[in-house]
Amino acid sequence: MEQRRGAEPLTSARVDSWTWAVRLFKTRSLATAACRAGHVRVNGDRAKSAQPVHIGDEVRVRSAGFDRILIVSRVVVKRVGATVAVECYVDKTPPPPPREEMALTPARDRGAGRPTKRERRDIEKLRGH
């Protein structure tokens, strides 16, 4: 657990502060905005930005159309490095569904079709223009 100088270990932190500290959001204001928009849930309920999170709480963060499901294993309030951030939660997010094979856009063979500007200039040089 994160400790403050001269104080006992932290038992709770604001959800916006915690999600920012463990690098789920780039800025604290983005974390607050996500809470306000209803993209963050704590134990299944929509979380306001000041709602406290405790060890063992389930935090769901909706980003890019998918939910990340995290179990709080360590409470931090200050932003930490990526290696430390991973230790602050247990990721229960299911693996993403397999991506569907998309048809590749057809590519034209070189020399087929209309010449490029460079090729046109080379042709004009050969013709003596």
Side-chain angles (χ1 to χ4, degrees):
M1 283 185 240
E2 184 76 10
Q3 285 187 324
R4 294 183 187 168
R5 287 187 195 165
E8 65 279 351
L10 289 176
T11 58
S12 69
R14 288 174 55 119
V15 70
D16 62 342
S17 176
W18 186 81
T19 54
W20 166 76
V22 297
R23 299 176 163 267
L24 296 176
F25 295 101
K26 197 169 187 175
T27 65
R28 172 102 181 259
S29 58
L30 284 175
T32 304
C35 291
R36 205 175 305 124
H39 298 300
V40 178
R41 292 180 174 271
V42 175
N43 296 325
D45 299 324
R46 281 179 64 169
K48 291 185 177 179
S49 55
Q51 181 173 341
V53 291
H54 306 280
I55 294 174
D57 284 349
E58 178 188 85
V59 178
R60 286 179 180 250
V61 178
R62 186 152 189 85
S63 65
F66 295 101
D67 279 353
R68 286 196 65 188
I69 303 167
L70 310 169
I71 307 295
V72 179
S73 62
R74 182 172 157 189
V75 178
V76 290
V77 238
K78 296 202 175 194
R79 194 158 171 99
V80 292
T83 54
V84 178
V86 174
E87 298 169 359
C88 295
Y89 57 82
V90 178
D91 197 350
K92 297 285 186 179
T93 308
R99 295 181 66 174
E100 295 178 14
E101 292 292 323
M102 291 179 42
L104 296 174
T105 53
R108 193 171 71 201
D109 291 334
R110 186 157 176 83
R114 202 171 158 174
T116 63
K117 192 172 193 176
R118 183 181 203 175
E119 293 169 342
R120 183 180 48 80
R121 287 182 177 157
D122 291 340
I123 292 168
E124 286 176 356
K125 270 187 200 174
L126 285 172
R127 290 187 180 162
H129 292 275

